Amino acid sequence: MIEYKGYVARIEFDASVDRFHGSVINSGPYPIATFEATDVQSLHCEFQRSIDDYLAWCEEDGVEPRKPFSGKLNLRLGSGLHQRVALIAAEEGLSLNTWIKQALEQKLSRDRLRTYADQ
C-alpha cells in the first residue's frame, strides 16, 4: 500500500502484462482513482497525479472531495451482540460508541505488541 495526501492505495501486480495496478481504498464504497504503471517510481507518480487530478476536478466542479477515513463507521452487529455490548457499556458508564472505540484500540494495541514480539 502507498499513501498520498491521506489517501491510501492498494497495489497489485499483473504478471500477464507486466504492470502494476492501483486503486484508492479509503474513500468509500468505490475507488475515487485508479492508476497503473510499469515500474515503482512511475506507480508513485501516477498515484499522485490521480489524486491531484481528482482534487482539481472536485474544486473545478464545486464538489466536496471524498475524504479519506472520515471517522464514521456503520456496524451491523446483530441484535444479540448489540444488546450485550450496549449493556456492558452502560455498566461501565460509557456510551456504546466510546466502548467500541476503546475495545478496538485495545485489540490493535495487543496485536501490535504481538507482531513486534514475533519479529
Side-chain angles (χ1 to χ4, degrees):
M1 286 192 243
I2 58 178
E3 185 268 334
Y4 178 67
K5 293 186 177 180
Y7 293 94
V8 176
R10 178 181 54 232
I11 309 302
E12 297 176 354
F13 182 72
D14 185 345
S16 67
V17 292
D18 284 334
R19 293 187 79 74
F20 292 100
H21 299 276
S23 61
V24 174
I25 60 171
N26 66 330
S27 60
Y30 59 89
I32 59 166
T34 59
F35 51 95
E36 59 181 49
T38 56
D39 61 81
V40 174
Q41 184 177 352
S42 298
L43 184 72
H44 284 275
C45 290
E46 290 301 317
F47 174 43
Q48 291 173 6
R49 182 178 300 136
S50 294
I51 294 301
D52 289 340
D53 286 350
Y54 168 71
L55 295 172
W57 172 83
C58 288
E59 186 176 340
E60 212 173 89
D61 285 4
V63 174
E64 183 71 25
R66 299 183 75 189
K67 303 286 188 205
F69 296 119
S70 68
K72 296 177 184 177
L73 174 67
N74 293 321
L75 293 174
R76 291 180 178 86
L77 302 176
S79 60
L81 180 57
H82 188 174
Q83 179 181 358
R84 288 173 32 218
V85 171
L87 291 173
I88 291 170
E91 286 175 5
E92 295 179 11
L94 300 172
S95 69
L96 184 58
N97 187 72
T98 299
W99 191 92
I100 291 171
K101 182 179 171 188
Q102 288 179 358
L104 290 171
E105 288 171 344
Q106 288 171 3
K107 171 68 172 148
L108 289 171
S109 180
R110 281 194 305 270
D111 286 352
R112 190 174 300 120
L113 289 174
R114 189 175 308 121
T115 300
Y116 292 132
D118 292 341
Q119 294 178 354

